Amino acid sequence: MTKPDKLPLVVLISGSGSNLQAIIDQVAAGMPAEIRAVISNRPGVRGLERAQQAGIETRVLDHKAYPDRESYDLALAELVHEFQPELLVLAGFMRILSSEFIQRFRGRMLNIHPSLLPKYRGLHTHRRALAAGDNEHGASVHYVTEELDGGPLVLQARVAVEPEDDEERLAARVLRKEHIIFPMVIRWVAEGRLKVENGQVVKDGSVLEKTLTLMGNGTLEP
Ligand code: GRF
């Protein structure tokens, strides 16, 4: 079977879908990828509207209709599989995935997380960064493994924490960075420049020894 010239994606969401929108915009701008479906675990969310407006197939798989994580994740895996994605994109998908699910899509799943991992895995990252008095915060794109927010890191972007920041203000600034770095990494995969091999990130043919950082001037630094 010949490989499709556009990387088939499925995007999982739970909410507003602003990261999804950034990916949609980059696909429209020529990223060699095709969003085959957007799947939400919550009905009625803004992200589903964004997908529909872009003419993308949407599905809702409500976790409330399933008795436990295993049965939900099995249904989700089957639904995702129908669309035959090469990359599964977690764009604000607010559920922990079972290890069975992760094994099935190992090496083919990217997540965006609103902190400078390994700092602040899990929820309320902005609140925690403020409470700790950090002077910088940011966002990370990483491959997904069984360890929550703990898989191999690819790219981060930093923001300075300002004295007048509250959770909302800081979150908004981090989100703007997410919208840049997430499509950037997906594009690398689509262009065949990025993969994960034996748990190591390989970019442009070399193992990435250090997580990349997107600097304010647009350059990448290890
Ligand atoms: C983002 O901050 C993402 O990092 C986090 O949830 C938020 C989702 O935002 N996991 P959106 O749905 O992409 O607007």
Side-chain angles (χ1 to χ4, degrees):
M1 215 166 76
T2 53
K3 279 200 150 215
D5 55 355
K6 289 187 173 183
L7 183 81
L9 310 177
V10 166
V11 183
L12 305 187
I13 62 165
S14 300
S16 125
S18 69
N19 277 288
L20 165 68
Q21 187 66 57
I23 300 162
I24 291 172
D25 293 347
Q26 284 302 308
V27 170
M31 181 202 295
E34 172 204 359
I35 306 175
R36 291 205 174 151
V38 169
I39 302 171
S40 173
N41 67 308
R42 293 203 185 113
V45 296
R46 173 87 181 101
L48 288 166
E49 278 171 35
R50 295 181 194 268
Q52 281 152 8
Q53 273 158 16
I56 299 165
E57 279 210 48
T58 58
R59 295 282 194 282
V60 174
L61 194 67
D62 191 342
H63 59 277
K64 294 200 185 110
Y66 291 81
D68 51 33
R69 189 174 305 285
E70 282 59 41
S71 58
Y72 180 79
D73 281 10
L74 193 60
L76 181 63
E78 273 159 22
L79 179 57
V80 169
H81 183 71
E82 275 177 37
F83 295 98
Q84 296 283 308
E86 281 188 31
L87 186 69
L88 190 52
V89 175
L90 310 186
F93 185 64
M94 303 303 283
R95 281 186 61 84
I96 293 173
L97 291 163
S98 59
S99 59
E100 288 74 20
F101 185 97
I102 289 166
Q103 275 160 27
R104 199 155 159 185
F105 296 99
R106 179 181 292 286
R108 295 185 289 141
M109 245 194 300
L110 285 174
N111 184 41
I112 179 87
H113 183 75
S115 80
L116 294 173
L117 289 170
K119 270 190 155 181
Y120 312 129
R121 294 175 182 180
L123 297 174
H124 310 304
T125 57
H126 311 299
R127 191 186 308 173
R128 287 154 73 198
L130 286 170
D134 292 355
N135 53 22
E136 64 170 12
H137 185 44
S140 307
V141 180
H142 66 94
Y143 278 98
V144 177
T145 62
E146 278 94 336
E147 204 182 335
L148 180 66
D149 300 323
L153 286 160
V154 182
L155 179 62
Q156 296 183 319
R158 293 163 191 273
V159 301
V161 178
E162 294 167 2
E164 56 278 23
D165 274 341
D166 56 16
E167 214 176 317
E168 202 180 331
R169 231 183 95 112
L170 183 57
R173 239 173 27 262
V174 170
L175 198 58
R176 283 202 289 279
K177 296 287 187 188
E178 296 182 32
H179 298 162
I180 301 170
I181 62 174
F182 205 15
M184 187 176 264
V185 173
I186 295 166
R187 180 185 279 272
W188 292 340
V189 178
E191 292 175 345
R193 298 175 55 195
L194 188 79
K195 59 184 173 180
V196 70
E197 240 171 27
N198 308 320
Q200 288 184 307
V201 178
V202 178
K203 179 165 180 286
D204 297 321
S206 308
V207 170
L208 207 62
E209 302 289 356
K210 280 181 111 182
T211 306
L212 294 167
T213 300
L214 180 69
M215 308 306 286
N217 64 4
T219 60
L220 293 170
E221 284 191 8

